[in-house]
Amino acid sequence: MAVLELTRVMTLAPAFFTGRLSVSGFRSRPTTYYLFEQPWSFLFNLLFGIGEVLLIGFIVWRCLDIAIRGRIKP
């Protein structure tokens, strides 16, 4: 999971600075969004990607914490 999240971060970080985001889905072709051509689509996909990284990162962090400590904190 950590490697997957790291690849997502490595995709989102340059997109934030360059204004070019490449998105591909399970059953769709890769699509490139440009900030100046499609600002709302670019921002939606960028924010959705950041939210996904944060949510999955939190879940992975909690699972790792439980595995190391051997118990769930209240």
Side-chain angles (χ1 to χ4, degrees), residues 25-74:
F26 178 67
R27 293 185 171 212
S28 63
R29 301 179 334 185
T31 305
T32 302
Y33 294 103
Y34 295 98
L35 178 61
F36 297 111
E37 291 178 7
Q38 301 166 321
W40 293 111
S41 298
F42 175 83
L43 291 174
F44 173 76
N45 283 297
L46 185 68
L47 291 176
F48 189 79
I50 291 171
E52 183 181 359
V53 166
L54 292 176
L55 178 68
I56 294 174
F58 176 75
I59 292 170
V60 169
W61 182 259
R62 289 295 297 152
C63 289
L64 185 62
D65 186 42
I66 291 169
I68 291 172
R69 295 179 190 260
R71 59 187 166 90
I72 300 174
K73 292 190 299 187

